[in-house]
Amino acid sequence: MKAGQARTILLVVGVAALFTGVGLLRASTKVTAVRVGYELGRVELENRELEREKARLEMELKRASAGAKLEVLAKDRLGMVPIAPGRVISLDPSPRGQGQSAVASVSEEAAR
C-alpha cells in the first residue's frame, strides 16, 4: 500500500469517526432535551396542583379567621353575648295556613 493511499484511508476513517461522534452527541442532546421536557411538564403540573391547594387553604384560612373576627367584633364592640339555648325558637318551614307565615304563627304562639 502506498503512503498516499494510507493517508486517504486514514482521512476517510477520521472524517467518518468525526461524523459518528457528532451524530452521537446530537442524539444524546436530543434525548436529554426530551427527558428534561417531560420533567418540566411534570413539575409544571405539580406546581399547578400546589397553587390550587394554596388557594384553597388561603380561602379556608380567610373563612376561619372571618368567623373569629366577627365573633370578636360582636363581643367587644357590640357587647353581644352567646344566646342561651332556651331562647332559640325553631320555625317549621311548612306554611301554617293561607296567608299566614311561620314567623307570624310563632309570634302569635309566643304572645299567648
Side-chain angles (χ1 to χ4, degrees):
M1 194 185 306
K2 293 184 182 178
Q5 287 178 333
R7 210 181 275 150
T8 304
I9 291 173
L10 188 60
L11 182 64
V12 169
V13 170
V15 169
L18 180 66
F19 280 128
T20 302
V22 169
L24 288 174
L25 180 64
R26 188 168 174 185
S28 173
T29 303
K30 286 192 179 255
V31 167
T32 302
V34 168
R35 189 174 343 125
V36 169
Y38 279 119
E39 181 70 14
L40 178 62
R42 187 190 64 75
V43 169
E44 285 176 342
L45 177 63
E46 183 180 353
N47 185 46
R48 283 193 299 272
E49 289 172 357
L50 290 172
E51 288 290 336
R52 279 194 294 267
E53 180 72 8
K54 178 186 173 193
R56 186 189 66 77
L57 290 172
E58 285 175 346
M59 184 62 70
E60 189 176 315
L61 178 63
K62 285 179 184 177
R63 261 190 249 133
S65 63
K69 287 177 185 176
L70 184 60
E71 184 177 352
V72 168
L73 176 69
K75 285 180 180 179
D76 295 347
R77 294 186 68 193
L78 302 175
M80 299 176 121
V81 295
I83 190 164
R87 301 220 26 187
V88 176
I89 300 172
S90 297
L91 302 178
D92 183 9
S94 63
R96 300 246 178 202
Q98 196 172 22
Q100 186 178 22
S101 71
V103 175
S105 299
V106 172
S107 297
E108 291 171 6
E109 289 175 11
R112 291 184 200 161

